[in-house]
DNA sequence: TAAGATTGAAAGTTCAATCTTT
DNA sequence: AAAGATTGAACTTTCAATCTTA
């Protein structure tokens, strides 16, 4: 059966779910970001980039990989890297072979992210993980996998 | 038993759940927001304000109520209202009695939000609701309620 | 030309200071 | 002084145009 796409107003239940999703990011996830920023001086964006450099690339990563992993627009990443470069957290360098740009974490970046990890872990546990049981977690992870797949098309 | 707050690194499972939650809100909100903006010229912020004026206040609302409902900082709301005022979507007016500012939707705002509602409903269903079954929806709503409550302290 | 990256200007957000009225 | 709102400057994100090299 082909289901017609409805443009009727959202029902109360649908709206409730939609608002729950908005609040999830606006309120709960923001708490983690604010905590990190207040205690380490790294913005959420800074943390996202430095942690990926360390975890995905052991300190160096093609700019493209960073971009894909963050899901950002390229100009946003470029501006962000420029700012972080002036703060000596990382530097851009050329890949051996070709023309691509690589991004390398600098000592100050390493020190900062290492200091931020425990703060991040505490905040994530305190504001979020603590409130989710194992069964709910499993449901959420499956859901997100499905959503991601559907958006790839 | 008092559970000590751990600052150990997040486990793989914890990290997966954390990333899943971030993507859940980031990705689904962005898809819906982009669609509305492309098809109606309203940003997510515009839509949030106009829809609240209509749904909560039947067209007029104290600025404070708007702010509380959105969870924004006051300066953000103030700047946003100024921009929307110049676009003739709404106007600020004084409350009869006291000193508070009220926000009133203008004809152009009404027309625009009415046109945007169906687009919003379609996008929310297509990008989000379609992929979430009843059980998952219930889990999400409960979880967000719990998270909100925990942040009130 | 097409992909990868950068740039500058415009739009949006935050922070701290200020203004206004009770 | 305290609450409600605004302002300007700094910072971040987006958009469109541009640059560079395979």
């Amino acid at each position: 059966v082909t289901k017609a796409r409805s443009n009727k107003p959202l029902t109360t239940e649908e709206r409730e779910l939609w608002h729950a999703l908005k609040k999830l990011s606006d309120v709960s996830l923001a708490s983690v970001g604010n905590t990190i920023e207040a205690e380490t001086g790294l913005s959420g964006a800074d943390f996202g980039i430095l942690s990926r450099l360390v975890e995905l690339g052991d300190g160096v990563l093609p700019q493209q990989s960073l971009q894909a992993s963050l899901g950002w627009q390229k100009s946003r990443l470029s501006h962000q890297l420029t700012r972080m470069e002036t703060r000596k957290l990382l530097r851009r360098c050329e890949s051996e072979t070709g023309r691509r740009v690589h991004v390398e974490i600098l000592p100050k970046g390493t020190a900062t992210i290492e200091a931020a990890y425990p703060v991040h872990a505490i905040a994530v546990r305190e504001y979020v993980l603590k409130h989710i049981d194992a069964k709910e977690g499993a449901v959420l992870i499956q859901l997100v996998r499905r959503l991601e797949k559907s958006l790839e098309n």
Side-chain angles (χ1 to χ4, degrees), chain A residues 91-138:
Chain A
R91 73 186 190 92
R92 287 186 246 226
C93 50
E94 298 189 352
S95 61
E96 326 73 31
T97 72
R99 189 76 265 101
R100 284 187 196 68
V101 174
H102 281 200
V103 180
E104 185 184 21
I105 197 168
L106 291 178
K108 185 177 166 200
T110 306
T112 311
I113 189 72
E114 293 302 336
Y117 269 126
V119 176
H120 180 255
I122 290 173
V124 170
R125 290 203 180 94
E126 180 65 19
Y127 291 123
V128 183
L129 298 180
K130 191 170 111 179
H131 306 282
I132 307 182
D133 69 32
K135 194 175 148 195
E136 290 173 328

Side-chain angles (χ1 to χ4, degrees), chain A residues 3-62:
Chain A
K3 192 177 161 191
R5 222 186 254 179
S6 168
N7 65 354
K8 289 197 199 117
L10 295 178
T11 66
T12 306
E13 289 76 21
E14 288 176 321
R15 227 169 18 214
E16 187 175 10
L17 181 46
W18 172 245
H19 284 139
L21 279 172
K22 293 203 67 161
K23 290 219 166 155
L24 182 60
S25 66
D26 287 350
V27 179
S28 307
L29 306 188
S31 307
V32 175
N34 293 340
T35 302
I36 299 177
E37 176 135 33
E39 298 195 22
T40 72
L42 289 179
S43 69
D46 297 332
F47 185 88
I49 288 179
L50 293 181
S51 64
R52 278 172 176 81
L53 287 178
V54 170
E55 291 167 24
L56 269 51
D58 207 29
V60 206
L61 225 49

